[in-house]
Amino acid sequence: MEKLVIEGGFPLKGEVKVSGSKNAALPILAAMLLTDEPCVIRNVPKLRDTSTMLKLLRSLGKTVDVIDDKVTILTKGEINYIADYKLVSTMRGSFCVLGPLLGKLKKAKVSLPGGCVIGVRPVDLHLKGIKALGAKLEVDGGYVLATTKGLKGAHIYLGGVFGSSVLATANVMMAAVLAEGETIIESAACEPEIEDLTNCLIAMGAKIEGKGTPRIRITGVKSLHGVSYEIIHDRIEAGTYILLAAMTRSNITIVNGCYQHLMALTDVLEQAGVNVISDGNNVKVKVKGGLQPVSVNTYPYPGFPTDLQAQFMALMAVTPGVSIITDKVYPDRFIHIAELNRMGANIRREGMCSIVQGIPVLKGAPVMASDLRASAALVIAGLAAKGKTEIHRIYHLERGYENLDQKLSMLGAKIRREKE
Ligand code: UD1
């Protein structure tokens, strides 16, 4: 096991390049199960989550070849319909092989993903959508077994208590592209990663209208063909670097900065006194004078992303005044509060809100990473804090940030890995 050791408290400078989007790569790689023809996917980030998805594709019978960010996927034999517990339980994103396996093979047995530290994370919406397409579902021994004689298009409302679901939309769309007739998904997730999946499916021959909107209309086709497709860049990685630049008052150029996908963040930052400027591909951050506290609620896209909530809280922790941060998507996603408080922050939780009383500066401390985005918040807090911060359990970071410590070192950060 390794830890990250950071000497913080000074500004960074230079250029940092944002990698391919993890949350677009996962369903797009799962979509490769919908065809027997060769596929090439580019801009795939090298992360533990994408490598788990590639392992899962191999375990299902695909041949996968990886060169840098290019993944080639071939079918050389039978495709297996069982997605094993060992792989699905380590990463929730693997559950989205259910839709494509069922659509292509007419049966799928996929382990339930289970909960995680940020909340219970049910899959009822996935199952509701798949059932509406005419599949027979059984849940037994921790697996979902879905079978069908042939899926049929349906009119499906996919909104839940916490709004739309990203991976349920992906799963149902991927099942519906090969179903007979028309499917309409109402309250579909509008995240750019779902739009990217839609573009990839269209490039494979799927008929889909309404991409990026809450109403997606799919006309089933008999089969999909191979594809050569380039994944979008990771808006959450870009947003994390934007927040890092604001917090450390750094002059950083964020290449592939995903500006158009980060309006909720840039708008809130503008109110806080942080100017985010884009010239198309590159993003720069300018802070004039002191920052103002701003309260934030997370919502499904285009609202403020829950995946940037922890990092935004780190910024508000060093912004004098009071801000209230509410997570409407994952009301329990607040484990980072205790760790930020170890660094001197003054944050308390009340129900699904956290009340942040900003202080002038954080102080380095030993802290524990609890989940992917909380880990990113601790890294940017550590880079802004005076003194030494040690972050334990950094394996979470490798799930979602490609070469984070190398990228930060290139910006002049004093950051190193050490054995525990
Ligand atoms: C995806 C992202 C994750 C992000 C999340 C919300 C991937 C691989 N992961 O996760 O990084 O934090 O979107 O933007 O893309 N829900 C239900 N029933 C369901 C499914 C979800 O009630 O069947 C609830 C969840 O508990 C949560 C909300 O809906 O409160 C949104 O979750 P969802 O969009 O499904 O998250 P994921 O797709 O798992």
Side-chain angles (χ1 to χ4, degrees):
M1 197 105 72
E2 288 183 314
K3 63 182 175 190
L4 276 182
V5 181
I6 298 172
E7 305 278 350
F10 58 90
L12 309 176
K13 66 168 194 269
E15 217 178 75
V16 62
K17 236 186 213 163
V18 174
S19 300
S21 161
K22 166 178 91 72
N23 287 354
L26 296 176
I28 285 177
L29 290 171
M32 301 301 107
L33 291 163
L34 287 163
T35 180
D36 294 328
E37 295 186 12
C39 296
V40 177
I41 307 295
R42 279 162 289 120
N43 205 26
V44 177
K46 264 204 168 54
L47 301 168
R48 200 142 52 79
D49 277 9
T50 48
S51 119
T52 304
M53 180 53 87
L54 296 178
K55 271 190 210 154
L56 182 58
L57 291 181
R58 286 191 185 104
S59 80
L60 293 169
K62 291 280 187 186
T63 301
V64 178
D65 182 42
V66 182
I67 301 174
D68 300 326
D69 68 352
K70 184 174 108 177
V71 176
T72 305
I73 296 153
L74 306 171
T75 313
K76 291 196 174 150
E78 286 279 289
I79 295 298
N80 172 11
Y81 72 101
I82 303 174
D84 192 63
Y85 171 77
K86 273 197 209 106
L87 290 169
V88 181
S89 62
T90 58
M91 182 185 74
R92 190 177 164 79
S94 4
F95 195 66
C96 66
V97 298
L98 177 66
L101 281 177
L102 180 67
K104 184 76 170 48
L105 305 177
K106 299 198 169 30
K107 62 180 173 180
K109 185 175 174 184
V110 180
S111 168
L112 285 164
C116 71
V117 73
I118 66 169
V120 179
R121 304 188 81 179
V123 291
D124 56 317
L125 296 172
H126 299 241
L127 301 186
K128 176 183 170 187
I130 298 282
K131 200 169 171 190
L133 294 171
K136 214 175 120 217
L137 292 180
E138 270 174 60
V139 178
D140 190 27
Y143 280 80
V144 175
L145 175 65
T147 50
T148 178
K149 293 205 171 83
L151 295 176
K152 293 217 162 52
H155 198 164
I156 305 165
Y157 180 77
L158 214 53
V161 184
F162 299 102
S164 55
S165 161
V166 176
L167 289 176
T169 304
N171 240 337
V172 177
M173 265 174 72
M174 289 192 278
V177 286
L178 294 180
E180 190 192 321
E182 186 179 82
T183 297
I184 297 173
I185 305 176
E186 306 279 5
S187 195
C190 302
E191 269 68 2
E193 295 77 20
I194 291 296
E195 192 173 344
D196 207 31
L197 168 67
T198 311
N199 284 331
C200 180
L201 291 170
I202 291 172
M204 295 170 79
K207 288 200 175 135
I208 308 175
E209 287 165 49
K211 64 176 182 180
T213 76
R215 184 170 217 250
I216 298 178
R217 185 191 293 264
I218 301 163
T219 307
V221 294
K222 288 258 177 300
S223 64
L224 294 188
H225 52 72
V227 72
S228 174
Y229 191 78
E230 182 164 332
I231 286 171
I232 53 169
H233 297 290
D234 197 307
R235 67 190 163 106
I236 304 301
E237 187 192 4
T240 303
Y241 290 128
I242 290 173
L243 286 161
L244 166 68
M247 207 169 162
T248 53
R249 310 291 197 269
S250 296
N251 185 5
I252 303 175
T253 303
I254 300 151
V255 180
N256 309 326
C258 305
Y259 186 77
Q260 72 285 10
H261 291 153
L262 286 169
M263 296 303 278
L265 173 68
T266 56
D267 184 70
V268 165
L269 286 177
E270 206 68 49
Q271 295 172 48
V274 179
N275 201 218
V276 183
I277 313 146
S278 167
D279 66 356
N281 204 32
N282 296 346
V283 167
K284 275 183 169 272
V285 177
K286 286 214 166 79
V287 181
K288 298 180 226 100
L291 294 187
Q292 302 298 317
V294 185
S295 294
V296 150
N297 278 343
T298 71
Y299 288 106
Y301 190 84
F304 192 96
T306 172
D307 284 351
L308 287 173
Q309 179 258 106
Q311 302 90 311
F312 184 75
M313 189 183 290
L315 176 66
M316 287 298 103
V318 288
T319 301
V322 176
S323 55
I324 297 173
I325 298 178
T326 309
D327 203 319
K328 298 248 172 154
V329 180
Y330 291 116
D332 287 323
R333 192 177 211 176
F334 283 132
I335 297 176
H336 42 278
I337 292 178
E339 302 306 306
L340 289 171
N341 284 349
R342 290 179 63 77
M343 300 175 77
N346 182 357
I347 308 169
R348 71 172 199 279
R349 181 174 171 186
E350 282 189 14
M352 64 159 78
C353 303
S354 55
I355 297 152
V356 186
Q357 171 74 62
I359 55 159
V361 70
L362 293 173
K363 289 197 196 105
V367 289
M368 189 81 82
S370 56
D371 65 82
L372 171 56
R373 305 306 171 185
S375 312
L378 295 177
V379 171
I380 65 173
L383 288 165
K386 286 237 174 321
K388 182 164 127 183
T389 295
E390 283 188 4
I391 306 178
H392 301 272
R393 289 209 200 148
I394 54 162
Y395 54 86
H396 292 291
L397 278 171
E398 285 148 15
R399 285 192 40 222
Y401 288 88
E402 191 175 50
N403 299 333
L404 181 68
D405 38 330
Q406 286 102 308
K407 288 187 187 183
L408 292 172
S409 294
M410 303 268 285
L411 295 173
K414 289 187 188 157
I415 181 167
R416 60 181 189 277
R417 274 168 191 261
E418 279 183 11
K419 288 247 174 303
E420 287 279 15

